[in-house]
Amino acid sequence: MDLQEYAVGLDIGTTKIVAMIGRKNEYGKLEILGVGRSKSLGVHRGVVNNITQTIQSIQQAVDQAEAVSGIKIKEVTVGIAGQHIRSLQHSDYITRGNSEEVIDQSDIDILCGQVHKLVMLPGEEIIHVLPQEYKIDGQSEIKEPVGMYGGRLEANFHVVVGQVASIKNIYRCVKSADLDLKKITLEPLASADAVLSQEEKEAGVALIDIGGGTTDLAIFKDGIIRHTAVIPQGGNIITEDIKAGCSIIEKQAELLKTKFGSAWPGENKENEIVSIPGLRGREPKEITLKNLSKIIHARVIEILENVFVEIKNYGHDDPKKQLIAGVVLTGGGSQLKHIKQLAEYVTGMPSRIGYPNEHLAGDSDAESTSPVFATAVGLVMKGLEDGYLNSKLEEQPVEEVEKEPVVEVDEIEQPEPEVQESKKRGFFENWTTKLKDFLDNAE
């Protein structure tokens, strides 16, 4: 059988874990071959707090994706979020030995490498070093320095930092589920790839990804990432409020939120009532949709106001930094009724719901194009774009692979793609490899 090139995105969220297999079709669009989804039991606010349960949830999602696609998954691109993520701005420069030679990729790699050596707080590690704008011999606002002449190469960087322990825990879960971790990427960056257009990134846009445990923010202007933040509040907090406010169990609260919930109380009339069955023969509870909306409204306002504080921290009030394209809402929380209108009310900016269908093939099913899968689609795109096409997986029934695992692994791992990839590998990819080696040796 011919080996084909795929990428697998693994979205380890607070409420769900999604494994998605995709490849590029002949038109350059993303074709989703299989999606596996399981309830996330060992993750709290984006951070793994139970290794065993997380491994089981990952295996369940992966098994489901394998069954749908008939493909054995070996390598995954994983998203990272959580309340431990923070970002900072940093400027750095290098002085080149020979200013008569043109600047090439190796100079940029050396400059990025310097930033990776920054001393962080104890227990923290740099996840991403994202160059924003370059300056060559005093000439500023250069977006692409390769091919230019100059002695002093300077750049502003957006640096994303996370807890070493959290990153190691994710790696341990992935490895224990018999998978190879090929890349860790910040979830809001993956979601942005899936739902934002280049025009929006140029004009200025804030992507708000409302997940179960966290709300992720990514701000773009002039096509460059300007600000990222992770707010430790999401859809689960709304469910908890409904549970406490209506004195019902969590399962009922979640159903109420998704079926009848609205972020705008003015839409509901006083006499609209929903009846909740009582537990074990108890009397049913009657809840007015007006009160339900008031509970949801209060919490969504709080989440959006926290996001707006971050947008102000970026400097949205400065005319040069204005976000002309406004706000794009995605993630499971964006499916709440009237949340778009509430976002416009809080931020004073135009908003839309972000669906990951722009890059997907036309025959994709409705499930894949839901905002719930925005991060997973973005992770698959990252896996394909960044040269992680080494996941050459053999298309065959999964059962056969399980019978003869040693033979299949040998067949899959024969190609050595390192030579082709070495030129394009960034420093974070090298860091992931070093972390992998360190953990392997530690065992």
Side-chain angles (χ1 to χ4, degrees):
M1 293 182 203
D2 292 336
L3 290 173
Q4 293 197 45
E5 294 173 340
Y6 303 93
V8 182
L10 186 65
D11 175 14
I12 303 173
T14 307
T15 50
K16 68 181 186 319
I17 290 177
V18 177
M20 186 177 276
I21 306 173
R23 68 176 172 204
K24 287 276 177 78
N25 65 12
E26 64 268 33
Y27 307 108
K29 291 287 187 182
L30 184 62
E31 188 182 339
I32 304 300
L33 302 171
V35 179
R37 180 178 178 172
S38 65
K39 192 171 171 59
S40 182
L41 299 171
V43 183
H44 179 66
R45 289 187 176 170
V47 179
V48 174
N49 64 0
N50 187 318
I51 294 280
T52 311
Q53 286 186 328
T54 306
I55 292 164
Q56 286 171 356
S57 296
I58 290 171
Q59 284 172 331
Q60 201 178 327
V62 166
D63 289 348
Q64 217 178 88
E66 287 179 342
V68 172
S69 62
I71 292 167
K72 179 69 180 168
I73 295 173
K74 282 304 292 174
E75 299 172 341
V76 291
T77 302
V78 178
I80 188 167
Q83 57 198 36
H84 62 96
I85 300 287
R86 68 183 182 92
S87 62
L88 55 104
Q89 299 296 117
H90 177 73
S91 295
D92 215 326
Y93 72 92
I94 57 166
T95 306
R96 301 178 66 238
N98 185 358
S99 60
E100 296 302 311
E101 284 184 8
V102 294
I103 295 165
D104 60 16
Q105 189 60 43
S106 63
D107 293 310
I108 293 168
D109 287 347
I110 291 165
L111 182 54
C112 290
Q114 272 186 199
V115 182
H116 272 282
K117 290 172 188 167
L118 280 176
V119 177
M120 291 291 116
L121 294 172
E124 284 190 334
E125 186 71 68
I126 291 172
I127 298 172
H128 286 294
V129 169
L130 305 164
Q132 295 183 316
E133 283 170 331
Y134 296 91
K135 195 187 276 189
I136 301 172
D137 293 345
Q139 182 190 342
S140 60
E141 295 186 9
I142 295 168
K143 287 189 181 179
E144 183 50 84
V146 173
M148 299 180 77
Y149 289 95
R152 179 185 164 111
L153 177 63
E154 204 173 332
N156 295 325
F157 293 95
H158 182 76
V159 183
V160 180
V161 181
Q163 290 283 351
V164 174
S166 295
I167 298 165
K168 284 182 178 175
N169 285 339
I170 285 176
Y171 176 77
R172 174 64 58 224
C173 290
V174 172
K175 191 171 183 224
S176 300
D178 292 328
L179 300 167
D180 292 332
L181 188 148
K182 276 298 161 191
K183 183 181 175 68
I184 289 182
T185 192
L186 191 64
E187 290 196 351
L189 296 181
S191 303
D193 275 0
V195 304
L196 297 181
S197 68
Q198 191 55 39
E199 288 84 0
E200 284 176 316
K201 290 180 182 178
E202 289 287 344
V205 66
L207 177 82
I208 304 170
D209 186 345
I210 306 171
T214 60
T215 298
D216 305 334
L217 173 71
I219 297 176
F220 291 84
K221 178 74 176 175
D222 301 325
I224 299 164
I225 181 79
R226 298 293 182 181
H227 188 74
T228 52
V230 178
I231 292 143
Q233 292 174 312
N236 287 2
I237 277 191
I238 302 168
T239 307
E240 286 293 322
D241 284 359
I242 296 168
K243 179 180 153 187
C246 301
S247 302
I248 54 178
I249 62 171
E250 192 171 335
K251 192 177 176 184
Q252 293 171 335
E254 183 65 30
L255 269 171
L256 263 183
K257 181 182 79 175
T258 51
K259 283 200 165 189
F260 303 102
S262 165
W264 200 267
E267 288 293 314
N268 298 115
K269 297 184 178 73
E270 295 287 352
N271 60 354
E272 287 181 306
I273 292 170
V274 63
S275 183
I276 304 285
L279 295 175
R280 306 284 288 178
R282 291 176 179 84
E283 287 290 309
K285 274 197 170 71
E286 289 190 341
I287 294 158
T288 67
L289 294 188
K290 189 95 169 170
N291 285 343
L292 177 67
S293 294
K294 280 178 181 174
I295 294 168
I296 294 170
H297 176 80
R299 184 60 81 177
V300 174
I301 283 276
E302 187 187 341
I303 292 169
L304 290 172
E305 280 178 347
N306 285 337
V307 169
F308 196 44
V309 166
E310 290 291 341
I311 293 172
K312 282 180 178 171
N313 289 345
Y314 147 74
H316 168 64
D317 296 334
D318 183 340
K320 287 183 181 175
K321 294 183 173 182
Q322 198 174 358
L323 305 177
I324 296 163
V327 167
V328 175
L329 297 155
T330 193
S334 69
Q335 295 182 302
L336 205 54
K337 277 182 208 156
H338 305 114
I339 195 166
K340 173 183 171 293
Q341 290 86 334
L342 195 58
E344 288 177 353
Y345 173 75
V346 171
T347 63
M349 291 188 277
S351 71
R352 73 173 178 89
I353 305 298
Y355 296 90
N357 51 8
E358 188 175 325
H359 305 282
L360 292 177
D363 56 353
S364 300
D365 59 16
E367 191 183 38
S368 305
T369 58
S370 163
V372 173
F373 294 111
T375 303
V377 170
L379 291 170
V380 174
M381 287 170 63
K382 285 271 183 203
L384 290 167
E385 280 167 21
D386 297 348
Y388 290 99
L389 301 171
N390 350 347
S391 44
K392 298 198 172 190
L393 311 162
E394 192 162 351
E395 199 160 352
Q396 60 187 350
V398 179
E399 290 76 19
E400 288 179 27
V401 181
E402 289 168 353
K403 285 176 192 169
E404 299 179 349
V406 179
V407 178
E408 297 302 332
V409 169
D410 287 343
E411 283 179 21
I412 290 165
E413 291 185 351
Q414 268 173 7
E416 288 290 338
E418 287 298 312
V419 179
Q420 299 170 2
E421 197 187 295
S422 59
K423 289 184 184 175
K424 290 190 177 179
R425 287 188 81 164
F427 275 81
F428 180 62
E429 285 78 4
N430 291 331
W431 177 84
T432 308
T433 310
K434 283 178 193 167
L435 173 64
K436 192 186 290 186
D437 294 341
F438 168 76
L439 288 166
D440 290 341
N441 292 334
E443 290 175 354

